[in-house]
Amino acid sequence: MGGEFGCEVFARAELVGFLFDPAFDLAFCLNHLLLKCLWRAQWRGRYLACFDALADRYLAGVTWEPRPALEARTAQLLPGLFLARVDGKSPVEYVTEEADKDRVRRVARSFLVQPAARLKDVCAAWSAELAK
């Protein structure tokens, strides 16, 4: 890994999205960066910076479709992935506190009701939730 916060490994996004929908691949990685904010609170800023770095670098390389379309699809996949990793059949092992699961549910539900078109909006909402 390299880069300012160890984000370079994630920045090689052009290698990710070739089998399925690239928006899902990006959302899957971004989802874990958001959830990791609960695992290591002292690194929240770094995880959020990695979220921004991955999203920015990935979207900068999108040439196969309009960038805003892929970003909106990615942002709209995140709430479902967020919920799946706390309430689904394969929950992440590092989100164990019910209060943390409620935080995930709160943010995810808000975006299921009012979908986001921009990844920065999802990241900002999660950051605001973490600041409470």
Side-chain angles (χ1 to χ4, degrees):
M1 292 179 68
E4 185 177 352
F5 295 114
C7 299
E8 284 302 311
V9 72
F10 294 113
R12 300 293 303 170
E14 68 271 11
L15 302 175
V16 174
F18 64 95
L19 290 176
F20 302 106
D21 184 359
F24 178 86
D25 296 332
L26 179 57
F28 184 86
C29 293
L30 293 174
N31 184 48
H32 279 282
L33 291 171
L34 295 177
L35 289 171
K36 293 277 186 182
C37 291
L38 296 171
W39 180 53
R40 296 282 190 236
Q42 71 273 25
W43 296 341
R44 283 180 182 162
R46 290 180 176 190
Y47 286 124
L48 295 174
C50 284
F51 179 101
D52 287 338
L54 174 56
D56 291 347
R57 291 280 296 274
Y58 191 100
L59 292 172
V62 172
T63 59
W64 57 88
E65 70 178 283
R67 288 180 190 127
L70 187 125
E71 181 177 15
R73 228 170 41 255
T74 303
Q76 292 163 11
L77 285 167
L78 273 169
L81 291 173
F82 225 26
L83 286 175
R85 296 315 306 247
V86 297
D87 291 326
K89 292 186 179 198
S90 181
V92 292
E93 66 281 355
Y94 51 85
V95 180
T96 58
E97 299 296 323
E98 200 60 33
D100 287 337
K101 291 178 183 182
D102 286 341
R103 295 172 115 175
V104 171
R105 293 175 186 125
R106 213 170 8 259
V107 171
R109 286 181 186 141
S110 73
F111 285 113
L112 289 173
V113 171
Q114 183 68 38
R118 297 182 45 218
L119 292 169
K120 291 193 182 303
D121 295 337
V122 175
C123 189
W126 184 236
S127 184
E129 176 66 31
L130 293 173
K132 291 181 182 175

